[in-house]
């Protein structure tokens, strides 16, 4: 009798029901499941939709991983919780889980989603995504229909804790994204221009002359450049109050002395792109182009109309603004400058000083002219 070794059968591959599948949400609406996949992708997770029937109802599970080791699956659930996916759970094989905790129709309503801009033009939304990427912030576009109009939201995070969402908004503000907001579920963001607050409008007539603007600036800074003519030229072209925009330039540049991050040779009189911390912002080839960019940037805030015919886009941040969000100067508060709670008021105060200076000069000239008349 041959003493042959006993044949040992190779181990069978693990059956499918030995896998621990991580489900990052279960939805009755497939579109909600697809949006969850996009949310996960923005955070570096891959996911697939797995339709499942439970008690006669179809659910669209979002599966993000299948593990042979239950501990690994639990670790994945913890990672999901850290990015705000608090309704993740584990199923073994094809077993139907206990109802999620609870299983609402749209469990994502508990999340605080940070929207880093909402645009009617998808190209503008894509540009915002690119800007965020350059600053190390992941985001993606979520089309949303509001009152029959499609908006392209740029979502930059979803959080179970509102404080974390607010921290993300502050981070966005620090890089110049001042139109970020938070939504929960299907809540409607303020995508329409704000209600008129009755303040002094950015669009409107101008009353001071170029000479009156430049002369006033020189009472503080004798070396101030003569830019008044450019502010009136482009103010008229865009329907912007160029004389008030000139006061904004005085505020931004400290009467063209450039004592902040922006240098004089940048011809950047509005602080465009200068977000603080030594970030100098945009540079323009000539003083006239710098003024044009300033007026155009104001136009983005104050109007939803296209750039006037005959003019090209010179403001590098034009498409980063939620169009028409600030029809008045005080609506620039917290948007053009952060926190900037009184930013618009400071601009109007400088404009008032300029007007009072002109009125005083006119009174003095009136006295002189009356004396001349007496001599005649």
């Amino acid at each position: 009798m041959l003493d042959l070794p006993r044949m040992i059968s190779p181990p069978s591959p693990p059956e499918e029901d030995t896998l621990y599948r991580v489900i990052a949400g279960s939805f009755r609406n497939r579109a909600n499941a697809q949006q969850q996949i996009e949310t996960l992708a923005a955070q570096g997770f891959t996911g697939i939709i797995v339709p499942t029937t439970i008690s006669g109802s179809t659910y669209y599970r979002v599966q993000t991983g299948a593990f042979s080791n239950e501990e690994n699956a639990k670790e994945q659930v913890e990672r999901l919780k850290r990015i705000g996916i608090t309704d993740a759970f584990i199923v073994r094989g094809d077993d139907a889980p206990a109802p999620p905790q609870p299983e609402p129709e749209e469990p994502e309503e508990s999340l605080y989603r940070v929207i880093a801009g909402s645009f009617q033009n998808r190209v503008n939304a894509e540009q915002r995504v690119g800007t965020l990427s350059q600053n190390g912030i992941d985001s993606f576009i979520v089309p949303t229909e509001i009152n029959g109009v499609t908006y392209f939201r740029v979502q930059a995070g979803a959080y179970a804790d509102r404080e974390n969402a607010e921290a993300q908004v502050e981070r966005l503000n620090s890089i110049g994204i001042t139109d970020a907001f938070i939504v929960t579920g299907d809540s409607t963001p303020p995508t329409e221009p704000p209600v008129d607050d009755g303040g002094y409008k950015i669009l409107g007539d101008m009353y001071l002359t170029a000479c009156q603007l430049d002369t006033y600036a020189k009472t503080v800074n004798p070396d101030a450049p003569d830019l008044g003519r450019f502010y009136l030229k482009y103010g008229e072209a865009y329907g912007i109050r160029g004389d008030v925009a000139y006061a904004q330039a005085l505020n931004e540049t400290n009467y063209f002395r450039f004592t902040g991050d922006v240098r004089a040779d940048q011809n950047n009189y509005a602080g465009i792109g200068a977000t603080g911390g030594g970030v100098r912002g945009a540079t323009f080839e000539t003083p006239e182009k710098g003024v044009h960019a300033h007026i155009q940037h104001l136009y983005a805030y104050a109007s939803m109309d296209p750039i006037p015919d005959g003019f090209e886009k010179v403001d590098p941040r034009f498409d980063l603004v939620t169009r028409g969000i600030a029809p008045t100067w005080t609506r620039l508060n917290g948007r053009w400058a952060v926190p900037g709670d009184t930013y618009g008021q400071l601009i109007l105060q400088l404009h008032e000083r300029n007007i009072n200076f002109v009125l005083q000069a006119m009174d003095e000239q009136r006295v002189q002219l009356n004396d001349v008349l007496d001599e005649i």
Side-chain angles (χ1 to χ4, degrees), residues 267-326:
N267 300 315
N268 185 351
Y269 310 113
I272 296 173
T275 56
V279 178
R280 298 193 181 281
T283 295
F284 303 97
E285 295 178 6
T286 65
E288 182 173 357
K289 285 187 177 180
V291 173
H292 186 184
H294 181 181
I295 295 295
Q296 196 174 87
H297 200 57
L298 278 169
Y299 186 74
Y301 274 96
S303 173
M304 298 183 71
D305 294 332
I307 293 173
D309 292 339
F311 293 96
E312 62 181 7
K313 190 182 298 179
V314 295
D315 168 24
R317 300 183 70 82
F318 185 87
D319 294 320
L320 302 181
V321 177
T322 299
R323 298 298 310 279
I325 199 171

Side-chain angles (χ1 to χ4, degrees), residues 49-72:
I49 297 176
V50 181
T52 303
T53 300
I54 301 175
S55 301
S57 297
T58 298
Y59 292 86
Y60 298 94
R61 295 177 178 171
V62 176
Q63 181 176 315
T64 178
F67 305 86
S68 59
N69 185 311
E70 186 175 11
E71 291 303 315
N72 293 340

Side-chain angles (χ1 to χ4, degrees), residues 360-372:
Q360 182 179 349
M362 291 173 65
D363 288 340
E364 293 173 356
Q365 186 177 26
R366 183 179 294 107
V367 171
Q368 293 172 350
L369 292 176
N370 283 329
D371 289 342
V372 172

Side-chain angles (χ1 to χ4, degrees), residues 24 27 30-49 62-64 83 85 111 113 115 122 138-144 152-158:
F27 306 84
R30 188 182 183 94
N32 294 338
Q34 184 61 46
Q35 185 170 331
Q36 185 80 317
I37 284 181
E38 293 175 355
T39 299
L40 291 166
Q43 299 289 339
F45 291 84
T46 58
I48 59 172
I49 297 176
V62 176
Q63 181 176 315
T64 178
I83 66 167
I85 309 298
L111 294 179
R113 305 180 185 277
I115 308 300
R122 187 181 182 94
D138 293 327
S139 62
F140 59 95
I141 297 173
V142 181
T144 303
F152 298 95
R153 294 177 180 172
V154 177
Q155 183 171 316

Side-chain angles (χ1 to χ4, degrees), residues 117-147:
S118 184
F119 307 86
Q120 292 186 20
N121 188 326
R122 187 181 182 94
V123 173
N124 296 342
E126 291 170 351
Q127 291 177 343
R128 176 61 60 88
V129 170
T131 298
L132 292 170
S133 178
Q134 292 173 3
N135 286 275
I137 299 176
D138 293 327
S139 62
F140 59 95
I141 297 173
V142 181
T144 303
E145 186 171 314
I146 301 172
N147 297 327

